Amino acid sequence: MRPVVEITALRKSFGTNEVLKGIDLKVESGEVIAIIGKSGSGKSTLLRCINGLETFQDGALTVDGKPLLHDSPGAMRELRQRVGMIFQSFNLFPHLSVGRNIMLAPTLVKKKNAEEAVQLAKKLLDRVGLAEKFDAMPEQLSGGQQQRVAIARALAMEPAVLLCDEITSALDPELVGEVLRVVESLAEEGMTLLMVTHEMSFARKVSDRVIFMHQGRVHEMGTPQALFGAPETPELKQFLSSLH
Ligand code: ADP
Ligand code: MG
């Protein structure tokens, strides 16, 4: 089976600052990968390259076998439909109801009619445990609820892979669990997930593979048992001991 995401020798610089120094990564369908590492190690930039938010200087990147071509607007549009991304900040449209936030892309991009889009939004809200919030405005929801709506909105495009960039980092501690439970249920349902997280016990529990990034490289990669239980490099040992 062909990988959902395939990254080969990816290099990315901002000016003279090389931030990704040759990344190779294959993500198989249904795989859950946690990306860990110090601030500034390139985690967000890697995710942003995968969904086309950043260009890169060298290497290749394919999603569903299709190469990411920055000079082809049609290919980029198609790519963005196949890659869902959720950020630390919830980024809901504040002037639209929860239901309309979710309906927007299916209506505009997938040309679903209003009735289909409503049904889809209701189904997805139910999936993230917010069935009763269809008509609520984002500001009426807690941060955890808003983030769950953001997940539902990303799922509405039926992405081949969902990228999560520290999606619980901006939440009050008591709201983290409800968001992680939704992510865990997606993982159990077979969603392909690539998530940058500081929640190490969650990464250990849910992921199939963990990637430790250090200075723009995949410094260690392996099962959660291997990376957390028997880290090999001094850099990973130091990173893990800095967490507690
Ligand atoms: P992480 O997510 O692991 O904290 P980032 O991918 O955000 O790391 O950043 C990696 C490096 O790239 C950092 O040195 C950061 O300053 C730099 N960087 C990130 N985004 C930009 C940008 N838009 N312009 C210039 N430098 C950037
Ligand atoms: Mg980051």
Side-chain angles (χ1 to χ4, degrees), residues 1-8 10 25 27 49-52 56 59-83 110 158-161:
M1 211 162 51
R2 119 187 134 195
V4 177
V5 178
E6 183 161 15
I7 301 170
T8 316
L10 180 73
L25 177 65
V27 185
C49 283
I50 296 171
N51 85 339
F56 49 86
L61 207 163
T62 67
V63 174
D64 265 356
K66 297 197 185 69
L68 196 152
L69 302 168
H70 285 103
D71 47 9
S72 163
M76 291 306 290
R77 254 197 315 278
E78 200 181 318
L79 170 94
R80 292 225 171 82
Q81 292 185 38
R82 304 296 292 142
V83 181
K110 293 218 159 172
E158 300 174 327
V161 56

Side-chain angles (χ1 to χ4, degrees), residues 14 17 19 37-46 54 165-166 196:
F14 292 105
N17 181 17
V19 170
K38 271 198 299 209
S39 174
S41 57
K43 306 180 299 296
S44 294
T45 303
L46 177 60
E54 299 283 359
D165 194 357
E166 297 189 28
V196 175

